[in-house]
Amino acid sequence: MQPGILSPDHTRVFGELAGATVRVALSRTVGARYKTDGCPPSSWLFLARCDLPSAKNLFPDPRIGIIPFSDIMAAERTGSQDSMIEMGAQNKMTEKPAAYDPNSDFEAATIVPDPSERGTTSGKDSPAVNDEAVQDPNIVDFDGPEDMDNPMNWPMKKRWQNIAVISVLTIITPLGSSMFAPGIPRILAEFEESSSTVATFILSVYILGFAFGPLLVAPLSEIYGRSVMYNTGNVFFFIFTICTALSNGIPMMMAFRFLMGVAGSVPITLGSGSISDMMPVEFRGRAMAVWAIGPLLGPCIGPVAGGYLIRAAGWRWVYWLIAIVTGLIAVFTFFTLRESYAPVILERRAARLRKETGNPLLRSKLADNTTTPAEKLKTALVRPMYFLFRVPIVTLLSLYVAVTYGVLYLLFTTFSLVFGQNTLGSSYGFGEGEVGLVFIPSAIGMALGIVIFGAMSDKLVTQKISSGEKHKPEIRLTPFLTIPAGVTLPIGLFLYGWTTHYGVHWIVPMIGVVIFCFGLMGIMMACQNYLLDVYPQNAASVTAALAVLRSLAGALLPLGAIDMYIALGLGWGNSLLGFISLGLIPIPLLFFLFGERIRGVKKVPTATEA
């Protein structure tokens, strides 16, 4: 901006500009330089949004705000070139029209971006200017980096508060999967059941709910928003937990444990999507690490408390305790968790503006107006399965994660048999309380993995961005991270299997569990962060695809665990799992080398493809 461009005749009556053409620097604009063509002589054209109540009273269309005189003067004094706009104006403002008129002078001007600056942005986290949004005045978009409705513009404190709430939810729901594991023998005795398959399925049926829940939760969140699904899931999880506590037989317990898993899958399915909604790529790794504490540590720490609680008060009190905690957290979540999905936020803003202005043509920039609501729902429901079965990147990485997760739950379901009842030939003889403590090494290994791999992943991304290089998702799969993590999986399984086979002191197989869980976290975080970077707009659907295969493996692999250990023994049984893990190590390396080429082939499904 050149000093002296403003005339002394300008007054404070919201910029009575006496026909002057003024350049104004305002970061609240869409972020590029614009010019106006075909402006009728009787019109005033104001491109900047303004929150002044007086502006809203003067104009029926809130998208057309006024530029306060103080901002014009401040821009002239600083000579700022940031987010420049060129505004043509005549004389003074007209009176407020009686009703919105789509043919009014406010719609007459053609607004086009300066060709030399097309595609620039007004802030690091703001999307590039969209030509449709510039040329069509009925498009509703975020107002640049100062628009606090945009989750990418939230203060870091607010973002971390949201992530903390989601992380708490993801600790509570996985507790239901394994907290009562030490009490399975007591449950079988109470309901006069002796089948080893039933004993295993009581635990794994909950994980089966985790497999089916995401198929409904993820698409609905991309239509109605994240916060609605979080709150709805909390209510149903609370109800189904109470029903499980009141179970009068194995079938009733299994049915409501399955429904607990479906409802409890909400934070596990949507957590990574919520992080993608509000965190820039260079902070996403550590945010994922914080969120991952819940779904991975929950099943580890639950049995520690559950073992002693069951011995003191009975297995039903495990569910009463979960229900009480869930009820308290559900109330807290309702009042603190904010919507973070940008398309839903903009759609709500567009609906509000349509009501306030009477303009039915206003629509969200991110809205898909080419399909009917039924087609949108169909596409959203099919999208997770499309990703899982027709996108090789998602298919193979989901397979790798599924195998590691399935092995983890296979170990969880057999800990009480290996260290407690001596069913599988081991000689440890732990009681109900001590068996719960066996899960602690899993938590230690995962905690180490979260801290180390989360920090290293973000450090690699930050180094690339700071050096001026364009961020590529493949950096998340760098061999420096994925190969060591992959190698530790079979090492941990070999150590655990053969030391339990020969009855070595319990601390040695527990070290094997720590090593295995450390590598598991490295693989899971690398794969999930990579998929989020590749498909940020469909994070919930990609996470659902990942969760479906992962949870199916977690639910079904344990069903054959006892027969496998009886046939092969603890040594060769766990060695078999180790060899399978060893064969999957090249998968991340494949996508590190060829991922950019492969992901250029498969696109996100449209309604017609779905």
Side-chain angles (χ1 to χ4, degrees), residues 312-394:
W315 64 267
R316 295 181 190 273
W317 262 102
V318 169
Y319 294 102
W320 288 121
L321 178 61
I322 294 174
I324 292 170
V325 175
T326 300
L328 295 175
I329 293 178
V331 175
F332 180 76
T333 302
F334 181 80
F335 290 104
T336 58
L337 195 64
R338 296 290 174 261
E339 180 57 58
S340 63
Y341 192 49
V344 170
I345 295 173
L346 284 180
E347 184 57 42
R348 291 174 182 174
R349 174 181 284 187
R352 185 180 70 250
L353 293 178
R354 284 194 295 266
K355 182 178 179 180
E356 292 176 355
T357 65
N359 177 9
L361 302 178
L362 293 174
R363 63 189 184 277
S364 165
K365 174 187 174 181
L366 301 178
D368 179 10
N369 299 299
T370 62
T371 57
T372 65
E375 290 173 333
K376 291 178 184 177
L377 181 60
K378 175 191 171 185
T379 304
L381 290 172
V382 172
R383 189 181 291 123
M385 290 295 95
Y386 178 97
F387 275 118
L388 183 58
F389 293 112
R390 297 187 61 183
V391 181
I393 292 176
V394 180

Side-chain angles (χ1 to χ4, degrees), residues 214 218-219 221-222 226 269-270 272-273 384 532 536-545:
S221 77
E222 292 175 353
R226 318 284 198 209
T269 303
L270 302 185
S272 56
L532 287 181
Q537 290 299 321
N538 300 101
S541 291
V542 172
T543 304

Side-chain angles (χ1 to χ4, degrees), residues 225-535:
R226 318 284 198 209
S227 61
V228 171
M229 298 307 300
Y230 283 121
N231 291 315
T232 303
N234 287 341
V235 172
F236 281 107
F237 186 77
F238 175 77
I239 294 172
F240 296 144
T241 302
I242 292 177
C243 293
T244 306
L246 299 173
S247 297
N248 55 18
I250 294 291
M252 180 178 177
M253 172 179 283
M254 285 187 175
F256 282 111
R257 273 184 59 78
F258 172 78
L259 293 175
M260 280 181 67
V262 172
S265 69
V266 174
I268 294 176
T269 303
L270 302 185
S272 56
S274 297
I275 290 171
S276 180
D277 293 340
M278 55 185 148
M279 279 294 185
V281 66
E282 62 268 28
F283 293 104
R284 205 169 286 163
R286 69 195 71 174
M288 286 291 295
V290 173
W291 168 78
I293 291 174
L296 294 174
L297 292 187
C300 302
I301 63 177
V304 177
Y308 291 102
L309 179 61
I310 290 169
R311 188 164 66 181
W315 64 267
R316 295 181 190 273
W317 262 102
V318 169
Y319 294 102
W320 288 121
L321 178 61
I322 294 174
I324 292 170
V325 175
T326 300
L328 295 175
I329 293 178
V331 175
F332 180 76
T333 302
F334 181 80
F335 290 104
T336 58
L337 195 64
R338 296 290 174 261
E339 180 57 58
S340 63
Y341 192 49
V344 170
I345 295 173
L346 284 180
E347 184 57 42
R348 291 174 182 174
R349 174 181 284 187
R352 185 180 70 250
L353 293 178
R354 284 194 295 266
K355 182 178 179 180
E356 292 176 355
T357 65
N359 177 9
L361 302 178
L362 293 174
R363 63 189 184 277
S364 165
K365 174 187 174 181
L366 301 178
D368 179 10
N369 299 299
T370 62
T371 57
T372 65
E375 290 173 333
K376 291 178 184 177
L377 181 60
K378 175 191 171 185
T379 304
L381 290 172
V382 172
R383 189 181 291 123
M385 290 295 95
Y386 178 97
F387 275 118
L388 183 58
F389 293 112
R390 297 187 61 183
V391 181
I393 292 176
V394 180
T395 303
L396 291 178
L397 291 179
S398 296
L399 177 64
Y400 197 177
V401 171
V403 170
T404 59
Y405 192 80
V407 172
L408 175 69
Y409 265 86
L410 185 148
L411 298 179
F412 283 171
T413 56
T414 56
F415 275 164
S416 60
L417 303 178
V418 172
F419 294 96
Q421 296 179 325
N422 300 329
T423 305
L424 301 176
S426 57
S427 56
Y428 295 99
F430 289 2
E432 287 177 340
E434 290 76 16
V435 165
L437 298 177
V438 173
F439 289 80
I440 292 179
S442 307
I444 294 173
M446 290 180 186
L448 290 173
I450 286 171
V451 173
I452 294 175
F453 288 109
M456 292 178 68
S457 178
D458 275 355
K459 185 176 181 180
L460 289 173
V461 174
T462 303
Q463 287 176 345
K464 287 288 185 181
I465 294 177
S466 61
S467 65
E469 297 183 43
K470 181 181 178 182
H471 171 68
K472 294 184 178 180
E474 283 69 30
I475 193 66
R476 302 287 191 183
L477 300 178
T478 181
F480 177 71
L481 296 177
T482 56
I483 290 181
V487 170
T488 58
L489 294 175
I491 291 176
L493 289 170
F494 293 150
L495 182 60
Y496 170 79
W498 288 106
T499 53
T500 54
H501 179 81
Y502 289 109
V504 179
H505 188 274
W506 60 265
I507 191 66
V508 183
M510 291 298 94
I511 292 174
V513 173
V514 171
I515 294 172
F516 171 79
C517 291
F518 174 78
L520 179 145
M521 277 306 309
I523 293 302
M524 290 191 69
M525 291 188 64
C527 294
Q528 194 148 346
N529 282 331
Y530 174 67
L531 292 176
L532 287 181
D533 286 358
V534 174
Y535 304 105

